[in-house]
PDB file of all heavy atoms in Angstrom:
ATOM      1  N   GLN A   1      37.186 163.273  39.022  1.00  0.00           N
ATOM      2  CA  GLN A   1      37.166 162.308  40.118  1.00  0.00           C
ATOM      3  C   GLN A   1      38.363 161.375  40.020  1.00  0.00           C
ATOM      4  O   GLN A   1      38.957 161.205  38.962  1.00  0.00           O
ATOM      5  CB  GLN A   1      35.861 161.507  40.111  1.00  0.00           C
ATOM      6  CG  GLN A   1      35.600 160.726  38.837  1.00  0.00           C
ATOM      7  CD  GLN A   1      36.286 159.394  38.757  1.00  0.00           C
ATOM      8  OE1 GLN A   1      36.547 158.774  39.792  1.00  0.00           O
ATOM      9  NE2 GLN A   1      36.576 158.932  37.549  1.00  0.00           N
ATOM     10  N   GLY A   2      38.713 160.799  41.158  1.00  0.00           N
ATOM     11  CA  GLY A   2      39.828 159.863  41.210  1.00  0.00           C
ATOM     12  C   GLY A   2      39.858 159.185  42.560  1.00  0.00           C
ATOM     13  O   GLY A   2      38.837 159.108  43.250  1.00  0.00           O
ATOM     14  N   ILE A   3      41.024 158.721  42.927  1.00  0.00           N
ATOM     15  CA  ILE A   3      41.198 158.072  44.222  1.00  0.00           C
ATOM     16  C   ILE A   3      42.377 158.693  44.960  1.00  0.00           C
ATOM     17  O   ILE A   3      43.161 159.446  44.383  1.00  0.00           O
ATOM     18  CB  ILE A   3      41.426 156.551  44.074  1.00  0.00           C
ATOM     19  CG1 ILE A   3      42.725 156.289  43.276  1.00  0.00           C
ATOM     20  CG2 ILE A   3      40.233 155.868  43.433  1.00  0.00           C
ATOM     21  CD1 ILE A   3      43.170 154.852  43.293  1.00  0.00           C
ATOM     22  N   VAL A   4      42.482 158.359  46.227  1.00  0.00           N
ATOM     23  CA  VAL A   4      43.666 158.732  47.003  1.00  0.00           C
ATOM     24  C   VAL A   4      44.779 157.767  46.621  1.00  0.00           C
ATOM     25  O   VAL A   4      44.666 156.560  46.820  1.00  0.00           O
ATOM     26  CB  VAL A   4      43.386 158.651  48.517  1.00  0.00           C
ATOM     27  CG1 VAL A   4      44.664 158.907  49.304  1.00  0.00           C
ATOM     28  CG2 VAL A   4      42.299 159.640  48.915  1.00  0.00           C
ATOM     29  N   SER A   5      45.839 158.299  46.027  1.00  0.00           N
ATOM     30  CA  SER A   5      46.963 157.458  45.606  1.00  0.00           C
ATOM     31  C   SER A   5      47.941 157.206  46.748  1.00  0.00           C
ATOM     32  O   SER A   5      48.433 156.092  46.924  1.00  0.00           O
ATOM     33  CB  SER A   5      47.701 158.116  44.440  1.00  0.00           C
ATOM     34  OG  SER A   5      46.838 158.351  43.352  1.00  0.00           O
ATOM     35  N   ARG A   6      48.242 158.266  47.497  1.00  0.00           N
ATOM     36  CA  ARG A   6      49.129 158.157  48.661  1.00  0.00           C
ATOM     37  C   ARG A   6      48.700 159.180  49.696  1.00  0.00           C
ATOM     38  O   ARG A   6      48.052 160.174  49.377  1.00  0.00           O
ATOM     39  CB  ARG A   6      50.593 158.413  48.292  1.00  0.00           C
ATOM     40  CG  ARG A   6      51.285 157.319  47.528  1.00  0.00           C
ATOM     41  CD  ARG A   6      52.795 157.548  47.525  1.00  0.00           C
ATOM     42  NE  ARG A   6      53.157 158.794  46.839  1.00  0.00           N
ATOM     43  CZ  ARG A   6      54.373 159.348  46.904  1.00  0.00           C
ATOM     44  NH1 ARG A   6      55.318 158.801  47.660  1.00  0.00           N
ATOM     45  NH2 ARG A   6      54.637 160.455  46.242  1.00  0.00           N
ATOM     46  N   LYS A   7      49.104 158.954  50.929  1.00  0.00           N
ATOM     47  CA  LYS A   7      48.831 159.898  52.008  1.00  0.00           C
ATOM     48  C   LYS A   7      50.147 160.365  52.625  1.00  0.00           C
ATOM     49  O   LYS A   7      51.175 159.716  52.497  1.00  0.00           O
ATOM     50  CB  LYS A   7      47.974 159.245  53.098  1.00  0.00           C
ATOM     51  CG  LYS A   7      46.625 158.738  52.621  1.00  0.00           C
ATOM     52  CD  LYS A   7      45.767 158.303  53.812  1.00  0.00           C
ATOM     53  CE  LYS A   7      46.457 157.231  54.652  1.00  0.00           C
ATOM     54  NZ  LYS A   7      45.655 156.850  55.823  1.00  0.00           N
ATOM     55  N   ASP A   8      50.074 161.509  53.302  1.00  0.00           N
ATOM     56  CA  ASP A   8      51.210 162.036  54.066  1.00  0.00           C
ATOM     57  C   ASP A   8      52.467 162.131  53.209  1.00  0.00           C
ATOM     58  O   ASP A   8      53.541 161.662  53.574  1.00  0.00           O
ATOM     59  CB  ASP A   8      51.477 161.171  55.300  1.00  0.00           C
ATOM     60  CG  ASP A   8      52.309 161.893  56.340  1.00  0.00           C
ATOM     61  OD1 ASP A   8      52.338 163.141  56.321  1.00  0.00           O
ATOM     62  OD2 ASP A   8      52.960 161.215  57.158  1.00  0.00           O
ATOM     63  N   VAL A   9      52.324 162.763  52.039  1.00  0.00           N
ATOM     64  CA  VAL A   9      53.416 162.889  51.084  1.00  0.00           C
ATOM     65  C   VAL A   9      54.170 164.190  51.327  1.00  0.00           C
ATOM     66  O   VAL A   9      53.572 165.226  51.614  1.00  0.00           O
ATOM     67  CB  VAL A   9      52.871 162.865  49.638  1.00  0.00           C
ATOM     68  CG1 VAL A   9      53.993 163.036  48.624  1.00  0.00           C
ATOM     69  CG2 VAL A   9      52.116 161.568  49.388  1.00  0.00           C
ATOM     70  N   SER A  10      55.492 164.154  51.199  1.00  0.00           N
ATOM     71  CA  SER A  10      56.325 165.355  51.279  1.00  0.00           C
ATOM     72  C   SER A  10      56.909 165.632  49.897  1.00  0.00           C
ATOM     73  O   SER A  10      57.276 164.706  49.174  1.00  0.00           O
ATOM     74  CB  SER A  10      57.466 165.174  52.285  1.00  0.00           C
ATOM     75  OG  SER A  10      56.965 164.975  53.579  1.00  0.00           O
ATOM     76  N   MET A  11      56.981 166.909  49.529  1.00  0.00           N
ATOM     77  CA  MET A  11      57.574 167.271  48.251  1.00  0.00           C
ATOM     78  C   MET A  11      58.110 168.684  48.331  1.00  0.00           C
ATOM     79  O   MET A  11      57.752 169.461  49.217  1.00  0.00           O
ATOM     80  CB  MET A  11      56.553 167.159  47.113  1.00  0.00           C
ATOM     81  CG  MET A  11      55.382 168.099  47.220  1.00  0.00           C
ATOM     82  SD  MET A  11      54.286 168.018  45.789  1.00  0.00           S
ATOM     83  CE  MET A  11      55.403 168.548  44.494  1.00  0.00           C
ATOM     84  N   GLN A  12      59.010 169.023  47.409  1.00  0.00           N
ATOM     85  CA  GLN A  12      59.589 170.356  47.348  1.00  0.00           C
ATOM     86  C   GLN A  12      59.162 171.050  46.073  1.00  0.00           C
ATOM     87  O   GLN A  12      58.998 170.428  45.025  1.00  0.00           O
ATOM     88  CB  GLN A  12      61.123 170.283  47.396  1.00  0.00           C
ATOM     89  CG  GLN A  12      61.684 169.912  48.754  1.00  0.00           C
ATOM     90  CD  GLN A  12      63.200 170.016  48.787  1.00  0.00           C
ATOM     91  OE1 GLN A  12      63.860 169.977  47.759  1.00  0.00           O
ATOM     92  NE2 GLN A  12      63.753 170.154  49.980  1.00  0.00           N
ATOM     93  N   ASP A  13      58.984 172.387  46.172  1.00  0.00           N
ATOM     94  CA  ASP A  13      58.703 173.151  44.967  1.00  0.00           C
ATOM     95  C   ASP A  13      60.013 173.590  44.334  1.00  0.00           C
ATOM     96  O   ASP A  13      61.097 173.199  44.765  1.00  0.00           O
ATOM     97  CB  ASP A  13      57.778 174.327  45.268  1.00  0.00           C
ATOM     98  CG  ASP A  13      58.435 175.394  46.148  1.00  0.00           C
ATOM     99  OD1 ASP A  13      59.653 175.296  46.425  1.00  0.00           O
ATOM    100  OD2 ASP A  13      57.741 176.330  46.553  1.00  0.00           O
ATOM    101  N   GLU A  14      59.920 174.414  43.280  1.00  0.00           N
ATOM    102  CA  GLU A  14      61.122 174.794  42.538  1.00  0.00           C
ATOM    103  C   GLU A  14      62.055 175.679  43.358  1.00  0.00           C
ATOM    104  O   GLU A  14      63.230 175.833  43.021  1.00  0.00           O
ATOM    105  CB  GLU A  14      60.735 175.506  41.235  1.00  0.00           C
ATOM    106  CG  GLU A  14      60.297 176.950  41.382  1.00  0.00           C
ATOM    107  CD  GLU A  14      58.850 177.081  41.857  1.00  0.00           C
ATOM    108  OE1 GLU A  14      58.218 176.063  42.192  1.00  0.00           O
ATOM    109  OE2 GLU A  14      58.351 178.214  41.888  1.00  0.00           O
ATOM    110  N   ASN A  15      61.549 176.259  44.452  1.00  0.00           N
ATOM    111  CA  ASN A  15      62.380 177.100  45.317  1.00  0.00           C
ATOM    112  C   ASN A  15      62.993 176.323  46.467  1.00  0.00           C
ATOM    113  O   ASN A  15      63.665 176.894  47.321  1.00  0.00           O
ATOM    114  CB  ASN A  15      61.543 178.251  45.869  1.00  0.00           C
ATOM    115  CG  ASN A  15      61.005 179.153  44.773  1.00  0.00           C
ATOM    116  OD1 ASN A  15      61.729 179.503  43.837  1.00  0.00           O
ATOM    117  ND2 ASN A  15      59.735 179.524  44.865  1.00  0.00           N
ATOM    118  N   GLY A  16      62.751 175.008  46.489  1.00  0.00           N
ATOM    119  CA  GLY A  16      63.282 174.179  47.562  1.00  0.00           C
ATOM    120  C   GLY A  16      62.427 174.165  48.805  1.00  0.00           C
ATOM    121  O   GLY A  16      62.803 173.559  49.802  1.00  0.00           O
ATOM    122  N   GLN A  17      61.263 174.838  48.764  1.00  0.00           N
ATOM    123  CA  GLN A  17      60.374 174.847  49.923  1.00  0.00           C
ATOM    124  C   GLN A  17      59.682 173.509  50.055  1.00  0.00           C
ATOM    125  O   GLN A  17      59.152 172.962  49.086  1.00  0.00           O
ATOM    126  CB  GLN A  17      59.334 175.956  49.786  1.00  0.00           C
ATOM    127  CG  GLN A  17      58.371 176.037  50.963  1.00  0.00           C
ATOM    128  CD  GLN A  17      57.418 177.203  50.848  1.00  0.00           C
ATOM    129  OE1 GLN A  17      57.761 178.241  50.290  1.00  0.00           O
ATOM    130  NE2 GLN A  17      56.221 177.048  51.377  1.00  0.00           N
ATOM    131  N   THR A  18      59.673 172.973  51.259  1.00  0.00           N
ATOM    132  CA  THR A  18      59.099 171.649  51.504  1.00  0.00           C
ATOM    133  C   THR A  18      57.655 171.770  51.957  1.00  0.00           C
ATOM    134  O   THR A  18      57.323 172.572  52.829  1.00  0.00           O
ATOM    135  CB  THR A  18      59.900 170.907  52.588  1.00  0.00           C
ATOM    136  OG1 THR A  18      61.258 170.777  52.154  1.00  0.00           O
ATOM    137  CG2 THR A  18      59.325 169.514  52.832  1.00  0.00           C
ATOM    138  N   PHE A  19      56.802 170.958  51.347  1.00  0.00           N
ATOM    139  CA  PHE A  19      55.402 170.841  51.765  1.00  0.00           C
ATOM    140  C   PHE A  19      55.210 169.418  52.291  1.00  0.00           C
ATOM    141  O   PHE A  19      55.623 168.445  51.652  1.00  0.00           O
ATOM    142  CB  PHE A  19      54.453 171.111  50.603  1.00  0.00           C
ATOM    143  CG  PHE A  19      54.449 172.542  50.146  1.00  0.00           C
ATOM    144  CD1 PHE A  19      55.349 172.987  49.191  1.00  0.00           C
ATOM    145  CD2 PHE A  19      53.546 173.446  50.682  1.00  0.00           C
ATOM    146  CE1 PHE A  19      55.343 174.301  48.776  1.00  0.00           C
ATOM    147  CE2 PHE A  19      53.539 174.768  50.277  1.00  0.00           C
ATOM    148  CZ  PHE A  19      54.446 175.197  49.327  1.00  0.00           C
ATOM    149  N   GLU A  20      54.584 169.309  53.453  1.00  0.00           N
ATOM    150  CA  GLU A  20      54.414 168.004  54.085  1.00  0.00           C
ATOM    151  C   GLU A  20      52.939 167.713  54.332  1.00  0.00           C
ATOM    152  O   GLU A  20      52.100 168.611  54.330  1.00  0.00           O
ATOM    153  CB  GLU A  20      55.200 167.949  55.398  1.00  0.00           C
ATOM    154  CG  GLU A  20      56.703 168.094  55.210  1.00  0.00           C
ATOM    155  CD  GLU A  20      57.464 167.936  56.508  1.00  0.00           C
ATOM    156  OE1 GLU A  20      56.839 168.109  57.579  1.00  0.00           O
ATOM    157  OE2 GLU A  20      58.673 167.647  56.459  1.00  0.00           O
ATOM    158  N   GLY A  21      52.651 166.439  54.561  1.00  0.00           N
ATOM    159  CA  GLY A  21      51.295 166.035  54.879  1.00  0.00           C
ATOM    160  C   GLY A  21      50.343 166.150  53.711  1.00  0.00           C
ATOM    161  O   GLY A  21      49.130 166.290  53.901  1.00  0.00           O
ATOM    162  N   LEU A  22      50.864 166.085  52.473  1.00  0.00           N
ATOM    163  CA  LEU A  22      50.021 166.232  51.297  1.00  0.00           C
ATOM    164  C   LEU A  22      49.282 164.941  50.961  1.00  0.00           C
ATOM    165  O   LEU A  22      49.731 163.846  51.293  1.00  0.00           O
ATOM    166  CB  LEU A  22      50.863 166.643  50.090  1.00  0.00           C
ATOM    167  CG  LEU A  22      51.626 167.971  50.183  1.00  0.00           C
ATOM    168  CD1 LEU A  22      52.466 168.167  48.931  1.00  0.00           C
ATOM    169  CD2 LEU A  22      50.667 169.135  50.369  1.00  0.00           C
ATOM    170  N   ILE A  23      48.155 165.096  50.287  1.00  0.00           N
ATOM    171  CA  ILE A  23      47.410 163.975  49.734  1.00  0.00           C
ATOM    172  C   ILE A  23      47.739 163.896  48.248  1.00  0.00           C
ATOM    173  O   ILE A  23      47.648 164.892  47.536  1.00  0.00           O
ATOM    174  CB  ILE A  23      45.894 164.163  49.907  1.00  0.00           C
ATOM    175  CG1 ILE A  23      45.525 164.262  51.387  1.00  0.00           C
ATOM    176  CG2 ILE A  23      45.117 163.030  49.238  1.00  0.00           C
ATOM    177  CD1 ILE A  23      44.113 164.766  51.618  1.00  0.00           C
ATOM    178  N   GLU A  24      48.147 162.724  47.794  1.00  0.00           N
ATOM    179  CA  GLU A  24      48.391 162.529  46.365  1.00  0.00           C
ATOM    180  C   GLU A  24      47.166 161.859  45.752  1.00  0.00           C
ATOM    181  O   GLU A  24      46.627 160.903  46.314  1.00  0.00           O
ATOM    182  CB  GLU A  24      49.624 161.665  46.145  1.00  0.00           C
ATOM    183  CG  GLU A  24      49.991 161.476  44.681  1.00  0.00           C
ATOM    184  CD  GLU A  24      51.215 160.595  44.517  1.00  0.00           C
ATOM    185  OE1 GLU A  24      52.290 160.959  45.037  1.00  0.00           O
ATOM    186  OE2 GLU A  24      51.095 159.529  43.868  1.00  0.00           O
ATOM    187  N   THR A  25      46.722 162.365  44.607  1.00  0.00           N
ATOM    188  CA  THR A  25      45.526 161.831  43.968  1.00  0.00           C
ATOM    189  C   THR A  25      45.718 161.741  42.466  1.00  0.00           C
ATOM    190  O   THR A  25      46.516 162.499  41.892  1.00  0.00           O
ATOM    191  CB  THR A  25      44.298 162.712  44.270  1.00  0.00           C
ATOM    192  OG1 THR A  25      43.156 162.174  43.590  1.00  0.00           O
ATOM    193  CG2 THR A  25      44.511 164.146  43.813  1.00  0.00           C
ATOM    194  N   ASP A  26      44.987 160.818  41.838  1.00  0.00           N
ATOM    195  CA  ASP A  26      45.017 160.747  40.378  1.00  0.00           C
ATOM    196  C   ASP A  26      43.844 161.485  39.752  1.00  0.00           C
ATOM    197  O   ASP A  26      43.649 161.431  38.540  1.00  0.00           O
ATOM    198  CB  ASP A  26      45.055 159.297  39.900  1.00  0.00           C
ATOM    199  CG  ASP A  26      43.760 158.539  40.179  1.00  0.00           C
ATOM    200  OD1 ASP A  26      42.924 159.038  40.957  1.00  0.00           O
ATOM    201  OD2 ASP A  26      43.595 157.435  39.623  1.00  0.00           O
ATOM    202  N   ALA A  27      43.048 162.175  40.574  1.00  0.00           N
ATOM    203  CA  ALA A  27      42.007 163.049  40.021  1.00  0.00           C
ATOM    204  C   ALA A  27      42.680 164.116  39.158  1.00  0.00           C
ATOM    205  O   ALA A  27      43.678 164.710  39.564  1.00  0.00           O
ATOM    206  CB  ALA A  27      41.205 163.705  41.141  1.00  0.00           C
ATOM    207  N   THR A  28      42.157 164.343  37.965  1.00  0.00           N
ATOM    208  CA  THR A  28      42.796 165.257  37.024  1.00  0.00           C
ATOM    209  C   THR A  28      42.856 166.674  37.581  1.00  0.00           C
ATOM    210  O   THR A  28      41.839 167.242  37.992  1.00  0.00           O
ATOM    211  CB  THR A  28      42.042 165.265  35.683  1.00  0.00           C
ATOM    212  OG1 THR A  28      42.024 163.933  35.170  1.00  0.00           O
ATOM    213  CG2 THR A  28      42.725 166.172  34.682  1.00  0.00           C
ATOM    214  N   ILE A  29      44.060 167.236  37.597  1.00  0.00           N
ATOM    215  CA  ILE A  29      44.287 168.591  38.075  1.00  0.00           C
ATOM    216  C   ILE A  29      44.771 169.419  36.896  1.00  0.00           C
ATOM    217  O   ILE A  29      45.769 169.078  36.255  1.00  0.00           O
ATOM    218  CB  ILE A  29      45.343 168.626  39.200  1.00  0.00           C
ATOM    219  CG1 ILE A  29      44.944 167.698  40.350  1.00  0.00           C
ATOM    220  CG2 ILE A  29      45.557 170.054  39.684  1.00  0.00           C
ATOM    221  CD1 ILE A  29      43.645 168.041  41.018  1.00  0.00           C
ATOM    222  N   ASN A  30      44.067 170.494  36.589  1.00  0.00           N
ATOM    223  CA  ASN A  30      44.399 171.347  35.449  1.00  0.00           C
ATOM    224  C   ASN A  30      44.675 172.773  35.909  1.00  0.00           C
ATOM    225  O   ASN A  30      44.379 173.136  37.051  1.00  0.00           O
ATOM    226  CB  ASN A  30      43.242 171.349  34.442  1.00  0.00           C
ATOM    227  CG  ASN A  30      43.178 170.070  33.631  1.00  0.00           C
ATOM    228  OD1 ASN A  30      44.186 169.612  33.100  1.00  0.00           O
ATOM    229  ND2 ASN A  30      42.000 169.475  33.550  1.00  0.00           N
ATOM    230  N   PRO A  31      45.249 173.609  35.012  1.00  0.00           N
ATOM    231  CA  PRO A  31      45.421 175.020  35.361  1.00  0.00           C
ATOM    232  C   PRO A  31      44.098 175.626  35.809  1.00  0.00           C
ATOM    233  O   PRO A  31      43.067 175.444  35.161  1.00  0.00           O
ATOM    234  CB  PRO A  31      45.902 175.639  34.044  1.00  0.00           C
ATOM    235  CG  PRO A  31      46.563 174.523  33.327  1.00  0.00           C
ATOM    236  CD  PRO A  31      45.775 173.295  33.676  1.00  0.00           C
TER     237      PRO A  31
END
């Protein structure tokens, strides 16, 4: 569990592909 840290976040992956409209959270994300 966690909270919404930011909304409508844009980021790029290692291939330079852009993802938009993401939700950023501090909920623990594991493999």
Side-chain angles (χ1 to χ4, degrees):
Q1 59 83 28
I3 62 169
V4 174
S5 302
R6 286 194 297 167
K7 300 189 303 178
D8 199 22
V9 178
S10 297
M11 64 175 298
Q12 288 187 339
D13 67 7
E14 77 281 7
N15 298 316
Q17 180 176 329
T18 301
F19 291 88
E20 297 184 339
L22 299 177
I23 299 167
E24 183 181 300
T25 178
D26 68 347
T28 302
I29 304 299
N30 284 312

